[in-house]
Amino acid sequence: MRVIIQSDYQEMSKYAAHMIAEQIKRKPQSVLGLATGSTPLGLYKELIRLYENEGLDFSKCTTFNLDEYLGLTPQHPQSYDSFMKENFFNHINIDPRFSFIPNGQLDPLNLQGIKIYCEWYENEIQKEGGLDVQILGIGANGHIGFNEPGSSFGSRTRIKTLTEKTRQDNARFFDNNIDHVPKYAVTMGIATIMDARQLILLASGNNKALAVKKAIEGPISAMVPASIVQMHPQAILIIDKEAASELEYDW
Ligand code: F6R
């Protein structure tokens, strides 16, 4: 595990963008696992800049997003589908046929339908040869994707119930009203994430400091899903000084 501490959010984002750009130059057909939320916004902005100014070419890449809220149409302004288009896909030369986002319109009562869909998502990743890199944020409660505390380390793409903490944290995108935040999400599982050949976990700000500390200096525990990155042979954490502020070890 490598921990790279950058001075601030912008430097963290640039560093991560540089790593992704190198990956794409090395392998134009890269399969990228993508995340949403506030954390990767700066990374996407920098990648867009590299596309516009330095000709970084996404045309052969395939992408798979980590998760999507259940119950939102792709057109809903807070769906992760909308997020990705608005903040990344609409500004680069990625082929929309090769950018996959979990379907948020599954019927939570149709267990067989959900199973078939989630297996299909996993198979699509396999068909592309697996994820070369998975970008991750971290929840203040230690979640990765929407794998909330207690999620099995063996889990695959499936439906998860969001915790009150996650819904509170994300209410800022839903008129600050937790009642508007969906209760369920479809998410890659922890085993799906761990299959990626490389993990890049980003964290910024004081509100992530404790989660980062638990993830990399605490015991590996299902109660801190991000702590599983300690077991990954190619995990890189790129974090800013604030997110690193609780670390005790001299990384
Ligand atoms: C988003 C995702 C989540 C976020 C996490 C942090 O696709 O999978 O795990 O990475 O909730 O969110 P932000 O970056 O908004 O603090």
Side-chain angles (χ1 to χ4, degrees), residues 9 12-13 36-43 136-138 202-204 208:
Y9 177 75
M12 175 200 81
S13 304
T36 57
S38 307
T39 310
L41 281 173
L43 159 67
L136 298 168
I138 181 171
L202 306 176
S204 163
K208 297 295 173 69

Side-chain angles (χ1 to χ4, degrees), residues 35-40 66-67 80 137-139 143-146 172 208:
T36 57
S38 307
T39 310
L66 278 169
D67 42 20
Y80 286 166
I138 181 171
H143 73 207
I144 46 175
F146 274 136
R172 67 190 193 281
K208 297 295 173 69

Side-chain angles (χ1 to χ4, degrees), residues 12-244:
M12 175 200 81
S13 304
K14 277 194 195 155
Y15 195 104
H18 177 75
M19 287 198 67
I20 301 292
E22 287 307 309
Q23 165 69 34
I24 295 172
K25 284 182 207 159
R26 222 175 21 250
K27 182 180 173 192
Q29 301 85 347
S30 287
V31 183
L32 308 173
L34 301 179
T36 57
S38 307
T39 310
L41 281 173
L43 159 67
Y44 295 144
K45 213 167 150 193
E46 181 63 12
L47 287 173
I48 293 167
R49 195 191 67 76
L50 292 174
Y51 163 71
E52 287 173 348
N53 298 346
E54 295 181 25
L56 182 63
D57 181 10
F58 294 88
S59 64
K60 296 194 174 69
C61 294
T62 303
T63 64
F64 289 90
N65 264 73
L66 278 169
D67 42 20
E68 176 61 287
Y69 289 116
L70 206 68
L72 302 188
T73 62
Q75 294 74 27
H76 189 287
Q78 295 311 332
S79 76
Y80 286 166
D81 197 290
S82 297
F83 176 101
M84 291 309 298
K85 287 188 178 122
E86 193 177 313
N87 296 298
F88 196 32
F89 295 155
N90 285 353
H91 310 283
I92 56 169
N93 65 337
I94 197 139
D95 185 336
R97 289 172 306 162
F98 300 123
S99 28
F100 295 82
I101 298 180
N103 179 0
Q105 296 207 280
L106 302 173
D107 172 2
L109 299 178
N110 180 357
L111 298 184
Q112 185 60 11
I114 290 169
K115 186 168 175 284
I116 291 170
Y117 176 78
C118 292
E119 283 173 6
W120 174 84
Y121 199 73
E122 293 272 333
N123 281 337
E124 287 303 303
I125 298 174
Q126 290 316 313
K127 259 172 44 192
E128 296 300 327
L131 299 164
D132 288 304
V133 183
Q134 176 65 56
I135 295 162
L136 298 168
I138 181 171
N141 66 1
H143 73 207
I144 46 175
F146 274 136
N147 296 286
E148 299 285 33
S151 292
S152 162
F153 286 160
S155 56
R156 295 262 160 208
T157 303
R158 69 208 183 295
I159 283 190
K160 280 298 285 181
T161 305
L162 302 180
T163 59
E164 179 96 3
K165 169 75 180 142
T166 295
R167 293 179 63 233
Q168 256 160 19
D169 286 348
N170 289 3
R172 67 190 193 281
F173 300 114
F174 292 86
D175 318 315
N176 284 315
N177 185 344
I178 190 172
D179 295 331
H180 294 175
V181 183
K183 294 191 170 68
Y184 307 98
V186 193
T187 180
M188 280 187 202
I190 296 182
T192 321
I193 293 169
M194 287 293 283
D195 279 348
R197 284 183 274 282
Q198 182 173 56
L199 301 181
I200 297 182
L201 189 148
L202 306 176
S204 163
N206 286 315
N207 63 328
K208 297 295 173 69
L210 222 50
V212 167
K213 181 187 169 44
K214 285 186 189 168
I216 65 172
E217 292 183 346
I220 297 171
S221 158
M223 292 314 289
V224 184
S227 63
I228 193 67
V229 301
Q230 295 178 37
M231 295 294 288
H232 196 285
Q234 292 287 348
I236 302 180
L237 278 86
I238 309 172
I239 61 181
D240 67 9
K241 272 197 180 137
E242 287 187 0

